[in-house]
Every structure is written in structure tokens, then in C-alpha cells.
Amino acid sequence: MGRQADVVVIGGGITGTATLAALARLDLSCVLTEKEPDIAAGTTKANSAVLHAGFDAPTGSMKAKMNVEGNRLYHELQDELGLDIQWTGSLVCATTEEEKAQIEELKARGEANGVPGMEIWDGDKARAKEPNLSAAVCSALWAPTAGICWPFGMAEAFAENALENGAEILRDCEVTGIRAEDGQGFTIETTQGTIRARFVVNAAGVFADKVAAMAGDTSFSIHPRKGEYILFDKTAQDKMVRGIVFPAPTQTTKGILVCATTHGNTFVGPNAQEQDSRDDTAVTTAGMDEIIAGAKKLVPELPMGASITEFAGIRAVSDTNDFIVGESKTVKGLYHAAGIQSPGLTSAPAIARLLAEEIAKAAGAKAKAKVVKGRPAQPIFRELSAEEQAALIKKDARYGRIICRCETITEGEIVDAIKRPCGARTVDGVKRRIRAGMGRCQGGFCGPRVIEILSRELGIPVPKVRKDGADSYMYEEKLGGGRK
Amino acid sequence: MSELYDVIIVGGGPAGLTAALSAQQNGAKKILVLERDREPGGILQQCVHNGFGLHHFKEELTGPGYAQRCYDLVKDLPEVEILVDTMVLEVRKDKTVRAVSPTRGVMELHGKSVVLTMGCRERTRGAIRIPGTRPAGVYTAGAAQRMVNMEGYIPGRKIVILGSGDIGLIMARRMSLEGCKVQAVLEICPFSNGLTRNIVQCLNDYDIPLHLSHTIVAIHGKDRVTGVTVAKVDEKSRPIPGTEFEIDCDTVLLSVGLIPENELSRGLGLQMHPLTSGPIVDQRRETSEPGIFAAGNVVHVHDLVDFVSDEAEIAGKFAAKAALGAGGGAARDLAVTTGENIRTCVPQHLRLGAETESVRLFMRVTQPLRGKLKLKVESGGEEVFSKPLMIAKPSEMIAVDLPEAKVGALTSDLTVSLTEGN
Amino acid sequence: MATETKVLNCINCPLSCELTATVEDGVVTNVTGNFCPRGAQYAKEELTAPTRMLTSTVRVKGGRLPLIPVVSAKKLPKGRVVECAEALRSVSVAAPVHVGDVVAANILGLGVDIVASRDMEAV
């Protein structure tokens, strides 16, 4: 006999984890399945990390509604969940009269969408805010409610809060089949056995159409669209930007932006490449040339010597080009959160709230008697005062051993990251939680040490330690004597 | 913990240990070496190959053997204290050093002088922007070397190495000796930056092909590396379309350069040199901040540890003198600038007082040169020193000593150049 | 009488002289292209009885680290180096070990000891 749950959420990205957190506050048993070794392994780990104000999407679209509502909800949730968000505001920059007209249009659309506080600035005012902006920028749309965030950390926060409220998260657990039992719930086959559930939430990102089809709903399809990025070292920030800088948008995308991260780095990207593969996150030379050229239109003097890594993410674009949120038209009890491309990160709490409300109604569920609002605290050594650091080391000497020197991360924090409720199981999982290996040496020094700590804390041999994906093993035992 | 030391040394590799010995020999009584790793010796502990020490110890040693020598020379000195497993968080202008260790917690230490010997780190994949996916199986050569030589694991079995500097070549042999197959070594330059000895003994001995003017244009594999696409590059290092070919491999090792590790120096606000990426120093290896010295790979990346030790001896000596109040009195500050064919020269300036000594200049050239070459030091338009050379490579540092008598007579800025012909 | 001409680069110094050696019946009879006498000596050795130092690691039990670096006390015949490295993969020693301690005596009967190249205290 397999597991039983009221709701199974398929997909552990920002949408899935936010939805799980919302559902877990109801008197329902909830399980989330994620096929990768860690949550937030798909689109959530590789995107622009921007919480959009909400002026881009057409007025009345699901995207517009969810964006503006999601942005508002993050302002509320930030303290409750300890989210890593900086409300920097965003600028959309025009360099021609035509673009100037375009940003006027954006402002009007934003106002219709309910975005507060927008202003049109002249070039000098924009440059006063971001001194490295091109002299060609003649006008800009300022939106104070936009912000930057650490998307993995947000998904982690939602996941941890969900666990605090009794939900369960199964990682390394791929859904291989879904049988809709004629209005009597679902039988879900996974790589970790069968789960019986009354409701299924499809938050499977670029695979959402495949998951829908497994359950018998073939009403939409998802098209992968790749976006490439280049990340810069913290030392480059003075030559880059402090907030979010967009160009005037194109038909398909918001364009190649120059943007700060909450960790003091900056990045440029993304481009937009339609492709067939749902998991090909290969970065291309042409793509990098494209984003460098694009970013130089905003910041002409890009400090390319300070680039530390490049990456690509896949956006899940639905054939309606809008979010598909709500119960399936053909399969009762199946709820979609599909086609969640940008502004999906911003929209996640709004989508979660909408789905939780719909499922609560269908299930006749009420809020749990006792809802936990936050999540366990976690000491961050480098942010503590000298006295606090001393006290922490006295309590546990491992906080006195710096493993990642670029980011000043201690062994104690790495152990915490592994031992937490939805803890790290991979080297990249440690990196995403606490930044060990995220700095300028990119794990050159601390990589071997992190592997050793993962091996020890997870109780697995070093050759079983993975970098990121399901089969991303890193090191092997040495070959024996006498072997060819 | 708050104590006053004569000399605090940040980093316990060959530079730090040698600086400690030199400081002791020059009268410092209380010397502290702070080392981040679990034991002293620095990166040498993982460089198990031989070829070290011929200049400095007049004997050929392995990396760990060289480290052992450096350590043995200081370990029993009562004046020298070494703390391992200790990370320096901050060095301040007043020579306060903030450090942390599991056993001693957060320490605030005070030095009369400080020597920075943090060494260098490797350039990464991101710094050279290799296209493709980001699977497991891509490592910097140094990280893989540590796993192979100190932890006892291999990174994979079929290996492609990018970069033919000595580290790349040494790893090619090392992996071959561990029973792995090294498919190829790729070098973006039209020449190898490694020693001929290493080309012969690390590649040719194991029939490993070296592709000059080639680079990786894509890494393949979703979770683990499955291969790379390689292409020939033009004279501007741009891949030439149509020259691509695939190499099957499960591992890519990157040996694409070293960068001085100077976060603490930047935190201190030291004046840095854009080409060496290290602090600007004078002939005593004093930085722009009085009483703060630097030596070894943190100043400029060396190719021989022997020269690192030579430089650390200088820094240790003058750090001790400064601590004892016997340095000072620089009457003339002369810049050392680079002329024809010279890319970098350390020290970048000389601060000369009444007391002068011979000065060693370390230089790197801009391009490989061969034939009748003349290394020339000019001061005020006059040639003050010259030395004939037959060969010069960017990968091999040139060291020359300006004799004491010449140094004493210097009154204006210096220019070093390497000219062809007479 | 078989006479061959072999070309190789000297490895003694950065000049890397390109040496041309005449080999008659396995004996080097003439070397040209060398700037200094070391070149001729190198060509003779490399073409008749090439040798190499071997450095590797062996397992160590009870030490601070799992491996200890080792080095051949003298040069080994080049053709046997890989075999020696293979043999070392199954060697294990117990800490404490001191620099110079023999970890594999007379490896493969070649008359060369493999010795530790650093100390490894017991923990």
C-alpha cells in the first residue's frame, strides 16, 4: 500500500512550493513531488530574479492580475517568511522617441493593471539613480514597487513553511503516470511508489503539458524558451547598476536587462531562444554575444573581466501565452498552474492563494486550527556581531571554521543547510541555500570540503555526492592496483 | 584574545613560512603565522610532483617535500607561532588582524607589521565563458588535484584538459598514472606556456595529444559531462567556424590561469596593480600602507616556488625591521616602469634611503622572444644595467639583481625593457 | 649497420635546444643543435636508456590525511614507470610516516625504493 494524501503537488519550483505552503495551512494532507534531488531545480533556479511591478502584461490577463497581486503579497510575506527581497524599484529605459512613446504606453497599461507609484523620468534623473547608464537614455519609466530577490531562497522559504505546517516533500521522486479514477481521485505512480490523492496540482513547469496529458488533459502545450545570463562578481557593482534596468520591451520579451542581485552581484540577460528541448540549458557563444551587445545599450562599459559564470534557464511558455491557472476543463480534481513564465516568480503567491481557495472549496477544507507562520531561524555568521560570532562558536566550534572564503561561510552553516527540514543534498543545493561556492572562486577551494561535509552528514560515500541533477556524480573511488 | 606581535603573517604556505623564518633571522621576537587549511604548506601539499627547490634549497624536492623543509625550519623556533584552521577575516590599516578558528573563536590580533602571503586562486569556467551545459565533471585543475592527491578520489576516467600551462601538463601525467585516459590537452595560444620538460615527460611519455590554437567551444551532458566540442582559433583567439570536432570525455579539467587572492588587500585599500592583480610594492615588498608587506603569489603569480621564497625572505626581513623600528628613512621614491616587451615588473617602485642593498627585479615579457636579446634597465635616460638573454617567454619570470653600488647611485625613475639585437 | 637520425628537444633549460642525434646500432654517435654539453648528454641518455622520476601517492592508515605523497628515491627506467605507479595503487602504509621512509622497497625489483615525501603524524 502506497501513500495517501488529500493533495499531491507535482513540481517543486516556486509555484509548487508556494502552492504547497498555501495548501498546508488548510486541514488537508499534502505531498509535493519533485523529480530532481532538490527543489527549485528548473526555471526557478535560473531566471532574472525580479519581482515585477506589473506593467508589462496586457490588462485583464491572468499574468497581469497575478503579477500585481503577487507583488503585493510578497510585500506582506517578506517579514513573515524571512524572504530575501530588496525593493529596489525598476527603470525601463528609452533611447529613441519611438521608445519614449512605448514607455508612456507601458505606464498607462501599468496604471490600468493597478501598479502604484509609477513615474516617467528624464535621462538625467535616471542616470542620477544609476550613474553607469548610457548617455543615450533619454527617458525612463520608474516603478517603485519592483524588487530583486533570491528565487531559490523564496522557494525554500515556502517549502520550509509548508513542512512546518505538516506537508511532506519528496525529492528525487519523478511522476511516471497519473490515473484519474473517474471523479474518485487519482493514482499517481512515482519513482518512489504509488500515491493516492483526491486532488492533483500540476506545477510541473516546462513539463506541465506532459503531466496534464498523463492525467488525460491534452488541452494545452508548453513551448520551452531559453534565456541566457552572465553573472558578475561583487567587485563589479560600482561599474554596473544598483537596481533593475530594462530596455524598452520587444514583442516577446522584456528585453535584455542589467540588474543587481540581493547578494551584491550583478547580471546581464536574458535573451529569448525558442527551442524544442525542455532541459537543454546549454549556453551558446552566439547567445552570450547577444546579451553582451544588448546589455551594452544600457550600460556601455560592461566590466567583462569580472564575469564569474554564465547560465541559462528555460521558461515554460503556454500556447495561450498566458498563465493557465485553475481546475482542468476535462479532468475534475486536477488543478493547473501551467505556462508560468515571467512574471511567474512574482505571481507565485497569488497563484498559490487562488488554487488553495479553489481546492479548499472543492474539498470543503478549512484553515488548520494552528497555522505556523514562519520557519526555523538560521544563523548567518558573516552578518553577526563579533560578540554573537564568539557566542555561536562557543556553542558549536564548527561555526569557527570558514569553509567558503569568498563568501565567509562556516562549516556550521553548511551542516545547518544540510540538516534543515528541506535540507541540501547536493553541492549546488548547499550553494543555493547559503552561497558556499557562489563567489569568485566558484567552489575551487571549498568544493572538495563541501563534498566531504555532505558525505559525512548524509552518511553517503564521496562518490555518491552529487553536484545538482539526479545523475550528477562528481568523484569516483581511485582505480585499484593492477587494473587496466 | 588580544595580543601584540612583531610580525603577523597571513597565510602559511611557502611564502608565509619563509617570511616567518626571515623575520626571526632578522630579529623579530614574536611572529604569528595564520593558516586557513588544516596544516601549513599551502598549495604545495597537493603538488606531489618533483621539480621544486633547485634554486632555493639547491636540491630537487617534491611539493610536499618543499613545504616540509619550510615548516621544519620554523616549527621549533620559539619566536614563531603557527595557527592552523584559522581564517583571517579582515586586516586593518592599524595592523589589527581579525581572524577566526574553531578552537579560539574570533580573535583580534595586533601586529607591529603584517605580511600578506595569501597566494593565488584559479581562474574558473565563468571567467573564460565556455558555452554549453553545466554538468558535473568540470573542475579546476587545482580542485581535482586536491581530490586526487590529498583526499583519494579521481574526478573521472576520460579526461580533457583545457590549458597547457605546467599545472595542466602535470595533471595530465597525474591522471595517466592513476589509470585514467587523458584524451587531449587543448591550448588556446599557438604555444604552450609549460616547460619543455613537462611537455616531454607529462604528455609525450603518455602519448597525449596537445592541440595548440584550440579551445573548447561547448561542453555537453545534462547531469555529467559526456563530451566537448573543440575548435581551432584564429590569431584573436576566436573559434574558426568549420573546424569543430568532438572529443568523448566524462571530465574537463581547467587550467586557465591563476589570480592573486587579494580580498584582504582590497579591504585594506591597498594600491593595486592592474596587470599583476596584486598590491603595488617597493623593493622591500612594502605595500602602499606603511608596515604592511606582501610576498609571493599574492603580489604576482610566480612560476617557481623558489622565487616565492626569495621574495618572502625580503618581505619577512623588512617586516621585522619595521617592527623593530629600524626600517624607514626613504629619501627617494623612484618608479620602476615597463618599457619594450616587458609586461610587468615587481617591485613597481624603489624607496631608497641612506642604506641601500642590491635589488632583485622580477619581470614578465609580453610575448615569446628568442635570439639575441638584451634586458636593459635605464634611469634618467642612461643605461644603468643590462643582461644578455637568449630566450624569454611570458610564462617564465625573469629575475635580475641590480647590484648594490648601482642602486645606491640611482636618482631618477627606472625603465626596464627587453630589446632584440644589440 | 643501422644508422638513424633522431630529433628531440632538450629539457634542461628554457632554451629547449632542438637536438639532432645520430644513432648507430643503438649508440648515439653524434649530437648537434645543442648550445651546451648538457644537451648532448641528455640526447644520449634519452635515446638509449631514458629514465624518469616517479611521484604518486599511497594510502596511509591512521594518519591525519588518507594519502601520503611518495617519490622514487632515484630515477626509474622510463618504460617501467606506469607499471610502478600501478603497483603503488595497492600499497598502504601506517602512520606515523616520516619524510624519506621507504613505503615500497626495491619496487618491481628495479633496485629503486619509493619513499615518503613528507611527514604524516598519527592521529
Side-chain angles (χ1 to χ4, degrees), chain A residues 47-48 50 227-232 240 244-247 253-259 266-272 287-288 290-292 294-296 298 302 311 315:
Chain A
N47 58 71
S48 303
V50 168
E228 297 168 76
Y229 297 88
I230 299 171
L231 186 72
F232 291 78
M240 296 286 273
I244 310 159
V245 180
F246 296 100
T253 77
K254 299 181 188 70
I256 293 161
L257 56 148
V258 181
C259 190
T266 45
F267 70 85
V268 298
N271 55 358
M288 284 189 265
E290 183 189 350
I291 58 179
I292 291 167
K296 280 187 172 170
L298 296 171
L302 283 186
F311 60 93
R315 290 100 108 180

Side-chain angles (χ1 to χ4, degrees), chain B residues 282-284 327-336 347 349-359 379 402 404-414:
Chain B
D282 67 15
Q283 81 281 9
R284 302 167 300 178
R332 291 163 290 160
D333 190 340
L334 310 180
V336 182
H349 63 137
L350 308 181
R351 278 192 278 215
L352 304 174
E355 212 183 303
T356 52
E357 301 184 22
S358 77
V359 166
S379 173
L402 292 184
E404 188 187 335
K406 301 268 189 189
V407 174
L410 290 172
T411 52
S412 49
D413 292 350
L414 285 79

Side-chain angles (χ1 to χ4, degrees), chain B residues 39 68 196 205 370 396, chain C residues 14-16 52 89 118-119:
Chain B
E39 58 182 1
Q68 182 94 53
T196 306
D205 278 8
R370 186 179 261 283
E396 285 170 35
Chain C
L15 269 185
S16 307
R52 297 286 186 267
R89 271 183 247 148
R118 58 166 284 180
D119 293 348

Side-chain angles (χ1 to χ4, degrees), chain A residues 150-174:
Chain A
W150 174 232
F152 180 90
M154 319 258 271
E156 185 196 20
F158 284 126
E160 290 190 340
N161 178 253
L163 293 175
E164 290 289 306
N165 284 307
E168 193 179 0
I169 295 177
L170 303 175
R171 288 175 285 174
D172 273 317
C173 179
E174 183 171 359

